[in-house]
Amino acid sequence: MTKKKNVFKIIGLVLVSLFCFGACVSVFRGKSQTQPQQQTQTEAKTVNEACESASGAFSLKLRGEKELIVSEEEKNTYLGGEKTESITITGGTINVTGGELAVIEAANAGTLTFKSVTIKDKTENSQRVAYCNYIRFSGKLRFENCTIDSIYLKNGAQAEFINCTFISSTSQWYSVWVADGSAQFKNCKFTGYRGLKINEFEKEDVLNVSINGCTFDNLSEKPGVVIGKFLVDPLNGVITITNNRFINCQPWDNVGSIEGVDGIYESDILTSELNFTQENNVLEFTE
């Protein structure tokens, strides 16, 4: 009798364990359905392919290097589709290839976020005019802890850069060119030939550029910030340069520009014609 009782006890314990396991699996399945769509991408050949099915809040984790192909023509290259709300790409290296005039942005007016990504320019770069040879972005953008080759913001871009490192690796190229929209830079580092350029062309309108807590380190061709032309409405443009460190960047061009501070900035227009603030910056400058 004792042996039979022990057998029944064992069977009972097994059944209870199976029941509890099934309940736990159901709970976890229910939770996973409420999480953002996530994908660790190792099979898709390009970032474009990996984001094709992006719907809602889409998260993509990269390993190693992936290619992002932009159009050979001067038009937008959209990541995602009509169901995309946001795309967050984390880790890895993105090599941007294709034509140099196409513009990258999230589809469906979504937000495109890069976290801890290295972005390299592998486009054709065949234009004689330097500002045509950048990786171009527009739309809602956020970059965190990224390392980036020279990029160009246009088409009403709304961009944030947090703790990023910009590398101007080619003479006459700026780390970032802001041509249209708004851009905020916080705790970023600018290295190489040139730093930040703010300049409008026809039908472009720069609204707000904020540079706060950044370091401009030994730029070899220009001071840290270069302000060009504001063709639309200069008084509608806000430029704020605060709490930054400028280390042995170049003197301002007192022939080609009309105003500046050695090492910090130069401007092709009087900053009194803009909403311009330059304060609490640390300058290390050797003549």
Side-chain angles (χ1 to χ4, degrees):
M1 292 294 293
T2 303
K3 290 183 179 181
K4 288 184 178 180
K5 287 182 179 180
N6 290 336
V7 170
F8 286 133
K9 284 182 180 181
I10 292 170
I11 293 173
L13 288 172
V14 170
L15 291 174
V16 170
S17 298
L18 290 173
F19 176 80
C20 292
F21 177 78
C24 290
V25 169
S26 298
V27 169
F28 283 115
R29 281 180 178 172
K31 285 185 178 180
S32 65
Q33 292 174 358
T34 64
Q35 298 300 314
Q37 182 182 359
Q38 296 186 358
Q39 185 174 356
T40 299
Q41 191 53 246
T42 56
E43 295 180 2
K45 294 181 180 179
T46 67
V47 174
N48 312 64
E49 292 176 359
C51 294
E52 278 181 351
S53 60
S55 62
F58 180 80
S59 179
L60 174 65
K61 293 183 180 180
L62 294 182
R63 294 176 180 172
E65 297 189 15
K66 288 293 180 183
E67 185 180 14
L68 195 166
I69 304 174
V70 297
S71 171
E72 297 290 340
E73 302 174 6
E74 189 173 358
K75 62 182 182 179
N76 286 19
T77 295
Y78 292 103
L79 297 181
E82 60 183 12
K83 295 182 179 180
T84 300
E85 295 177 5
S86 66
I87 295 175
T88 300
I89 301 174
T90 305
T93 296
I94 294 177
N95 295 317
V96 181
T97 64
E100 64 273 86
L101 298 178
V103 183
I104 302 166
E105 71 173 283
N108 196 34
T111 300
L112 180 58
T113 299
F114 298 89
K115 295 183 178 181
S116 302
V117 179
T118 297
I119 302 174
K120 294 183 177 181
D121 184 0
K122 301 291 185 180
T123 58
E124 296 171 359
N125 294 329
S126 60
Q127 302 294 324
R128 292 183 180 180
V129 182
Y131 63 78
C132 291
N133 293 322
Y134 291 80
I135 305 172
R136 299 182 171 211
F137 286 93
S138 66
K140 300 174 185 176
L141 302 161
R142 184 176 176 88
F143 298 81
E144 301 177 17
N145 302 302
C146 293
T147 301
I148 307 170
D149 278 354
S150 300
I151 66 172
Y152 189 101
L153 302 177
K154 61 178 301 179
N155 297 350
Q158 301 172 44
E160 289 183 282
F161 300 89
I162 313 295
N163 298 322
C164 290
T165 298
F166 297 96
I167 303 172
S168 168
S169 58
T170 303
S171 178
Q172 299 185 7
W173 290 23
Y174 291 89
S175 298
V176 185
W177 185 307
V178 182
D180 196 359
S182 300
Q184 281 72 49
F185 302 87
K186 299 178 183 178
N187 302 321
C188 294
K189 184 176 182 179
F190 296 80
T191 64
Y193 289 94
R194 302 189 180 196
L196 177 61
K197 173 87 171 189
I198 306 166
N199 184 91
E200 297 175 357
F201 290 109
E202 187 178 356
K203 297 181 181 180
E204 296 178 327
D205 190 9
V206 175
L207 300 176
N208 191 323
V209 179
S210 171
I211 309 114
N212 185 60
C214 296
T215 299
F216 296 79
D217 189 6
N218 283 279
L219 300 177
S220 61
E221 290 185 351
K222 284 288 185 179
V225 180
V226 176
I227 302 169
K229 299 182 183 300
F230 275 68
L231 302 178
V232 178
D233 186 2
L235 288 177
N236 193 41
V238 178
I239 299 176
T240 305
I241 308 172
T242 55
N243 307 309
N244 303 289
R245 187 180 180 191
F246 296 84
I247 305 171
N248 288 327
C249 298
Q250 300 306 303
W252 73 281
D253 179 6
N254 55 20
V255 176
S257 301
I258 63 174
E259 179 185 330
V261 174
D262 287 345
I264 297 180
Y265 80 93
E266 67 182 36
S267 179
D268 293 347
I269 64 172
L270 293 172
T271 56
S272 59
E273 298 178 10
L274 301 163
N275 289 306
F276 180 79
T277 301
Q278 190 267 118
E279 60 186 18
N280 297 328
N281 297 296
V282 175
L283 174 63
E284 298 177 27
F285 178 76
T286 303
E287 184 70 36

